[in-house]
Amino acid sequence: MNDAARTYDVIVIGAGPVGENLADRTQAAGLSTVVVESELVGGECSYWACMPSKALLRPVVARADASRLPGLARAVAGPLDAADVLARRDEFTSHWKDDGQVGWLESVGVDLVRGHGRLDGPRQVAVLTPEGETVRLTARHAVAVCTGTSAALPKLPGIADINPWTSREATSAKEVPGRLVVVGGGVVAVEMATAWQALGSRVTMLVRGDRLLERMEPFVGELVTEGLREAGVDVRFGTNVPVVERDGADGEVRVGLEGGGRAVADEILFATGRSPRTGDLGLETVGLRPGDWLGVDVTCRVTDVADGWLYAAGDVNHRALLTHQGKYQARIAGAVIAARAKGEPVDDAPWGPHAATADDAAVPQVVFTDPEAASVGLTASEAEGAGRRTKVVDYDLGQVAGASLYADGYRGKARMVVDLDRGILLGVTFVGPGVGELLHSATVAVAGEVPIERLWHAVPAYPTISEVWLRLLEEYRG
């Protein structure tokens, strides 16, 4: 049946975590909402990114932690059971079935239309269903694009013919490749190198730049590089990849390196960035260019579309390409859409209920390598580039009592960047085993603009790794 005309208050294109959260907020505010999804409800994070990657990494990190403790080190000296790790990963992806996520949408009263949705003029969306029919949707108030991003492959001759891995294949592979080449030095590259090396691959990393995790403090990349190399990963810096060849669909991959030399592998992962999923979204019908990122204001409303009915939340707007930030934007955008639909005032002042201020000032991120890396806010160089008058305070995490108890030979570092004019934190970075769970305290301090003098009264429990806060403050006071 061709359902030619359905009207809702809000149409959401994309049912990943961002689209789900936005739809939940608008539906809870009393606005009828429909979600359009062309793949699995739950999106990239649930099936090909956050959840499967961390399911792969958790046993790796747990074993690494145990190996640093007398009484456990010999017990965990053997290899990981790759089959069990992959099976647990499959459980966390619900075996790539979305029944549970669909049930959740139903439970909150949000309708679902499966198929490829495209804008078809102002407040109009046409959905081509898997059955080949067209469902036409009209929004009374808003359309929200939450389509996310896809892996960006480099423009190499014949790359499509070698069946390369992207992040999707890296997190969903059914077997451990004997040899794996990873091209890239960002989060996906270091996490997948960590996981597959521990599961039995011989991993070679080819990094164009001179360090890993270039968007974080330099010492983070240094310590993560040490950890990867100690685990057996061959990390090579300053390498460009102009040529990649493969024998047949599943044969050996040969990688030619600029300046000579080569690498060979059974699989090759390109972790070389992301591109917005807007190429076939009908942007041209509303005056935008297909394939572009969707620029938005602090309320997540698309700035280049008249009448203010189009919103974009999550990776597709290029503000902060992280699942938790996309969900945060979704909560903001949902509240904004509801307020405007009801004629209520919109408070888009910094840190107001209708402004995604944290996207600029307090973005937290954890990299689940061994050692872990965690950061929020500005790096020292970013603060300097923004013209802030700062003091940078570093501390050796291994000198904290809780860290020495956590693992023998603990190596790590902490940094806080202080705004001297305002007496608040602009950014905090940790690297070391177990530091991911330190991050929210730093996020609260940065987002809350907690005065340094007040932080003296936030007493860390002894003996925990959190005592690093006291040590950083002592270093600050001198």
Side-chain angles (χ1 to χ4, degrees):
M1 180 178 69
N2 186 353
D3 191 350
R6 294 191 198 175
T7 299
Y8 292 85
D9 292 323
V10 180
I11 302 170
V12 179
I13 306 177
V18 178
E20 289 176 318
N21 273 261
L22 198 154
D24 180 43
R25 291 298 83 215
T26 55
Q27 185 73 24
L31 303 180
S32 61
T33 303
V34 62
V35 171
V36 178
E37 177 53 55
S38 61
E39 294 188 289
L40 296 176
V41 175
E44 200 79 11
C45 176
S46 298
Y47 306 104
W48 300 288
C50 314
M51 296 307 292
S53 66
K54 277 53 189 181
L56 291 173
L57 286 159
R58 178 60 196 144
V60 177
V61 174
R63 182 181 67 168
D65 284 346
S67 70
R68 300 184 184 103
L69 291 173
L72 277 176
R74 277 188 284 183
V76 298
L80 291 171
D81 187 322
D84 281 355
V85 174
L86 296 179
R88 184 171 185 264
R89 182 271 319 270
D90 293 351
E91 290 293 325
F92 273 94
T93 63
S94 301
H95 298 271
W96 290 273
K97 296 179 182 178
D98 64 1
D99 298 16
Q101 302 271 16
V102 172
W104 179 83
L105 279 180
E106 293 172 350
S107 74
V108 297
V110 173
D111 286 352
L112 170 66
V113 176
R114 289 192 183 271
H116 181 69
R118 300 181 83 255
L119 295 168
D120 194 26
R123 296 184 175 83
Q124 304 294 314
V125 174
V127 185
L128 179 62
T129 71
E131 296 75 29
E133 299 173 344
T134 299
V135 176
R136 300 193 179 276
L137 304 172
T138 299
R140 296 185 186 94
H141 298 293
V143 175
V145 176
C146 305
T147 51
T149 58
S150 56
L153 289 172
K155 292 181 169 40
L156 289 177
I159 192 170
D161 299 326
I162 66 166
N163 297 322
W165 277 12
T166 67
S167 54
R168 283 198 170 195
E169 290 77 21
T171 56
S172 63
K174 298 299 185 183
E175 296 179 353
V176 179
R179 299 163 297 174
L180 173 66
V181 165
V182 178
V183 181
V187 176
V188 172
V190 297
E191 288 191 345
M192 290 298 93
T194 299
W196 289 110
Q197 178 73 28
L199 288 170
S201 288
R202 296 196 303 275
V203 177
T204 301
M205 291 189 71
L206 305 177
V207 186
R208 175 177 293 182
D210 59 2
R211 64 185 175 95
L212 300 178
L213 301 170
E214 290 185 340
R215 295 186 179 181
M216 303 182 85
E217 297 283 10
F219 63 82
V220 171
E222 294 169 7
L223 285 171
V224 171
T225 300
E226 287 180 16
L228 286 167
R229 285 177 168 162
E230 288 174 4
V233 177
D234 179 6
V235 185
R236 307 182 193 178
F237 293 106
T239 58
N240 289 323
V241 179
V243 179
V244 180
E245 300 173 330
R246 186 168 204 156
D247 293 329
D250 301 310
E252 183 178 81
V253 178
R254 296 183 297 277
V255 184
L257 305 179
E258 193 172 81
R262 69 172 190 162
V264 294
D266 301 291
E267 299 291 351
I268 183 168
L269 163 62
F270 284 95
T272 49
R274 310 288 296 180
S275 58
R277 286 183 179 150
T278 60
D280 190 19
L281 192 61
L283 294 185
E284 68 279 2
T285 70
V286 295
L288 301 175
R289 188 170 64 181
D292 280 359
W293 300 98
L294 296 179
V296 298
D297 61 19
V298 295
T299 70
C300 295
R301 185 162 63 177
V302 177
T303 53
D304 292 333
V305 173
D307 299 327
W309 56 272
L310 186 62
Y311 292 76
D315 286 7
V316 75
N317 66 28
H318 207 241
R319 284 175 65 89
L321 277 66
L322 294 160
T323 295
H324 46 271
Q325 290 302 122
K327 292 164 70 173
Y328 161 72
Q329 293 169 19
R331 296 189 293 270
I332 297 291
V336 169
I337 291 168
R340 287 175 173 151
K342 297 175 182 180
E344 298 171 354
V346 170
D347 179 2
D348 59 2
W351 304 113
H354 301 131
T357 310
D359 285 344
D360 296 317
V363 175
Q365 181 172 20
V366 178
V367 184
F368 293 83
T369 45
D370 177 38
E372 288 181 347
S375 67
V376 62
L378 304 181
T379 63
S381 62
E382 287 170 342
E384 181 182 359
R388 305 293 184 91
R389 193 171 68 91
T390 65
K391 181 174 181 178
V392 177
V393 183
D394 292 336
Y395 195 79
D396 179 356
L397 261 173
Q399 299 302 308
V400 176
S404 63
L405 287 166
Y406 189 94
D408 285 1
Y410 189 105
R411 285 180 294 172
K413 186 172 179 177
R415 168 172 290 180
M416 67 180 189
V417 181
V418 182
D419 185 326
L420 291 174
D421 293 320
R422 299 184 62 200
I424 61 172
L425 299 182
L426 296 173
V428 182
T429 298
F430 306 108
V431 61
V435 298
E437 297 302 331
L438 290 178
L439 185 59
H440 196 60
S441 60
T443 303
V444 170
V446 173
E449 298 182 342
V450 180
I452 284 284
E453 295 305 316
R454 177 58 64 87
L455 285 175
W456 273 100
H457 299 282
V459 181
Y462 181 86
T464 65
I465 302 177
S466 292
E467 197 182 15
V468 70
W469 280 107
L470 175 57
R471 303 302 171 219
L472 287 167
L473 292 168
E474 288 173 339
E475 291 288 319
Y476 174 73
R477 280 196 171 181

